[in-house]
Amino acid sequence: MRGDEWVDLLYGPAQQKKRGLRMSTNLEQLLAELPEDRATGRIAEIYEEIRRFSGVPYVSSLQRYVATMPGALEWAWDALRPALVPGVISETGWRLACDVRVSPAQPVSPEALKAWGISAADLAAIRNVAANFVRVSPVNLMTGATLALLLTSTHPSGTRPSGSGFPGVWTPPVMLGPMPGNVDPLTQDADTRAVLMRFVTEVDGKPFVPALYRQLAHWPGALTWLADELAPRFGSPETNAARVAFRAAARAAAPDIVARLPPVAADGMPDAATIQRILATIDRYAETSPDMTMFGQLILDALPERLPA
């Protein structure tokens, strides 16, 4: 099947209606973001702290997208920073992630890796990509749950920050190795684009391919293996139950964190329309972050740690 046929089969009008999506399948209209190498001033400082407190050399698309909304990331970071610096958000996410698993994949043999053109260096790089997402995705989920509660705390039923912060000094984990970077789907051949479209979802009406898959697209054989392995898992009861449980656990942990945060300044708070866009993005991330955690671990468990000499 050709790449354009895959796109029409998976994301044509009938499939979008069935899946509740309203988006263009034009990859030239991918979700907007402020890339790390174009961040300056305060945003660059925030990006550096995001990397440090997440323990990964990478700023996720959640924050890169919010950074495109004037003043929004700055306000959110100031509000959440008292729970990030002492590691409360990160450690809570990692603790909750310990219980998130799906059935393992069949082990990938060295012979299969060789057939995909995967060298020992490639294997180490792929495992590093998976490890990065296993580490960062629970932090994103917990950050999103906490931020969503902050943004709705103006309602009478909301949990209001009224504490004095969190005591203690926290040392973040040693930073994981750098990743090769998200591929631009438009620069890939039709077959690779078609595989990437098998992972596409929607954020703010735009196509969104989660970064785990765009990183793995540097190794098309491994990406195709993962697409085939995950196809029956995306909608399975087991995967959905794990998603729901992880999301619910993060949301249940958020009120205690928010209540202990210092009061949040009303000055600079995003307007109502921007808040709705951020909340919708957080809601979508609450689906993809559990997937990145579970499927990143699935990759680590299925791949050998090294190739035989």
Side-chain angles (χ1 to χ4, degrees), residues 143-303:
T143 299
T146 309
L147 178 57
L149 202 55
L150 272 176
L151 290 170
T152 55
S153 65
T154 54
H155 298 295
S157 60
T159 302
R160 297 173 182 272
S162 57
S164 57
F166 298 85
V169 176
W170 179 65
T171 301
V174 175
M175 189 83 68
L176 292 174
M179 295 185 287
N182 292 347
V183 303
D184 179 352
L186 294 176
T187 67
Q188 306 302 299
D189 60 53
D191 288 339
T192 303
R193 284 200 306 273
V195 178
L196 283 169
M197 287 300 289
R198 295 170 67 181
F199 299 108
V200 80
T201 183
E202 170 264 338
V203 175
D204 200 21
K206 303 291 186 183
F208 174 64
V209 181
L212 171 62
Y213 312 124
R214 292 177 67 181
Q215 294 276 348
L216 290 178
H218 289 279
W219 303 277
L223 183 71
T224 301
W225 161 76
L226 187 63
D228 292 341
E229 183 64 46
L230 297 185
R233 297 175 185 271
F234 279 125
S236 73
E238 178 195 43
T239 301
N240 193 53
R243 282 190 197 107
V244 169
F246 195 11
R247 186 165 62 236
R251 289 173 176 168
D256 180 61
I257 295 174
V258 170
R260 296 177 63 186
L261 286 171
V264 176
D267 249 10
M269 186 173 184
D271 61 31
T274 302
I275 287 174
Q276 288 309 308
R277 290 175 64 197
I278 295 172
L279 290 174
T281 304
I282 289 171
D283 192 55
R284 182 62 70 184
Y285 247 79
E287 296 181 13
T288 59
S289 291
D291 284 4
M292 300 299 95
T293 304
M294 294 184 290
F295 301 152
Q297 189 62 52
L298 178 144
I299 293 167
L300 290 173
D301 292 342
L303 296 181

Side-chain angles (χ1 to χ4, degrees), residues 22-232:
R22 293 183 178 180
M23 68 179 190
S24 165
T25 55
N26 182 356
L27 288 175
E28 293 180 358
Q29 299 177 11
L30 283 169
L31 184 71
E33 61 179 50
L34 179 62
E36 294 176 64
D37 61 1
R38 286 161 62 183
T40 59
R42 181 77 201 290
I43 297 292
E45 293 172 3
I46 292 172
Y47 277 10
E48 175 56 34
E49 290 200 322
I50 288 170
R51 290 187 286 264
R52 187 189 322 153
F53 299 133
S54 299
V56 298
Y58 174 79
V59 176
S60 296
S61 51
L62 171 64
Q63 292 96 340
R64 298 197 310 268
Y65 173 58
V66 174
T68 66
M69 306 173 195
L73 184 64
E74 295 93 323
W75 181 88
W77 191 252
D78 286 343
L80 293 175
R81 194 176 185 279
L84 285 156
V85 173
V88 173
I89 286 177
S90 299
E91 293 287 354
T92 301
W94 293 330
R95 173 175 56 80
L96 297 177
C98 290
D99 297 326
V100 180
R101 290 290 186 277
V102 289
S103 300
Q106 288 295 315
V108 176
S109 68
E111 291 74 24
L113 292 171
K114 183 177 180 181
W116 301 341
I118 302 296
S119 68
D122 292 330
L123 175 60
I126 292 169
R127 289 186 61 86
N128 178 62
V129 167
N132 267 273
F133 284 92
V134 169
R135 179 176 286 182
V136 76
S137 299
V139 181
N140 288 336
L141 182 66
M142 201 62 238
T143 299
T146 309
L147 178 57
L149 202 55
L150 272 176
L151 290 170
T152 55
S153 65
T154 54
H155 298 295
S157 60
T159 302
R160 297 173 182 272
S162 57
S164 57
F166 298 85
V169 176
W170 179 65
T171 301
V174 175
M175 189 83 68
L176 292 174
M179 295 185 287
N182 292 347
V183 303
D184 179 352
L186 294 176
T187 67
Q188 306 302 299
D189 60 53
D191 288 339
T192 303
R193 284 200 306 273
V195 178
L196 283 169
M197 287 300 289
R198 295 170 67 181
F199 299 108
V200 80
T201 183
E202 170 264 338
V203 175
D204 200 21
K206 303 291 186 183
F208 174 64
V209 181
L212 171 62
Y213 312 124
R214 292 177 67 181
Q215 294 276 348
L216 290 178
H218 289 279
W219 303 277
L223 183 71
T224 301
W225 161 76
L226 187 63
D228 292 341
E229 183 64 46
L230 297 185

